[in-house]
Amino acid sequence: MDCVKIGKLIAKLRKEKNLTQRNIADALGIQNKTVSKWECGLGCPDLSLWPELSAILGVDMKQMMEGEITSNKPDSGNIDKVRFYVCPSCGNILVSTASASIFCCGRKLERILPTDAITAPKITVEEMDMDYFVTFDHPMTKEHYLSFVAYVKSDRIFLNRLYPEQSPSCRFPITTGGKLYVYCIKHGLVTCQKINEELSKSNDEELGS
């Protein structure tokens, strides 16, 4: 560990939080002169203090121990680059609009990459009031179910959480130009055809019947 780099980072983060050395010391149950030594590069925090210290300063513990916070590239404003994350422990669903360091249940999560669209469930789309009513052909058992469905446009995300033994259906506001993502706990994330294309196909079939 580079104690000088770590000390400078601790001082920087502490000031950003408008905390004093005594605030940090009291929260950790140590003397404030110990915090002063860290910031002067005369020593590093004990390993037992790192988890709580990182929580107080609101940063990733690993990056703190390296003495450097890695910034992500600025968000370009194009939500088409949306990334999805699912916690393997609690099933929590998280979303970022660009590169990000996402943690849940103490683990760093990796983004879920879309798999082959062949595994996508069959979709039925209907217009209902001012929404698309989307139904999926899926068993929705406890061992095999759709966890979420997301409809992504250039400026917004419509996310629907689904649960086992419930109807595999959801609603989205009627709009055009979006992309539909479906996450199955068994087959992973797939990108389906644009929902407006599915709707057009559905309407064509009705006209031809």
Side-chain angles (χ1 to χ4, degrees), residues 117-126 133-141 144-147 149 162-163 166-170 180 182-187 190 192 198:
I118 294 175
T119 61
K122 183 179 178 182
I123 303 171
T124 302
V125 183
E126 301 175 87
F133 183 72
V134 187
T135 304
F136 303 91
D137 183 8
H138 201 277
M140 296 298 286
T141 64
H144 184 198
Y145 65 92
L146 301 179
S147 177
V149 180
L162 302 179
Y163 298 92
Q166 292 187 356
S167 173
S169 60
C170 55
L180 191 67
V182 181
Y183 180 74
C184 171
I185 66 166
K186 186 174 181 179
H187 296 110
V190 293
C192 302
E198 290 292 332

Side-chain angles (χ1 to χ4, degrees), residues 59-132:
V59 295
D60 174 35
M61 184 173 71
K62 181 177 179 293
Q63 293 191 41
M64 274 193 63
M65 296 177 81
E66 293 173 350
E68 187 175 357
I69 302 297
T70 304
S71 299
N72 293 315
K73 294 181 180 179
D75 188 343
S76 63
N78 185 356
I79 210 166
D80 285 340
K81 296 182 179 179
V82 64
R83 300 180 178 207
F84 298 97
Y85 307 80
V86 176
C87 177
S89 297
C90 68
N92 194 11
I93 300 165
L94 301 107
V95 180
S96 70
T97 57
S99 298
S101 296
I102 306 293
F103 292 80
C104 189
C105 295
R107 298 182 181 182
K108 183 176 181 180
L109 306 183
E110 299 296 329
R111 75 178 284 199
I112 303 169
L113 295 174
T115 57
D116 193 335
I118 294 175
T119 61
K122 183 179 178 182
I123 303 171
T124 302
V125 183
E126 301 175 87
E127 281 194 45
M128 185 174 292
D129 299 324
M130 298 298 291
D131 294 336
Y132 289 145

Side-chain angles (χ1 to χ4, degrees), residues 25 30-31 34 44 60 100 105-106 111 135 160 194 199 204 208:
I30 59 177
Q31 295 181 344
T34 302
C44 290
D60 174 35
C105 295
R111 75 178 284 199
T135 304
N160 280 260
K194 291 182 180 179
L199 181 59
D204 291 342

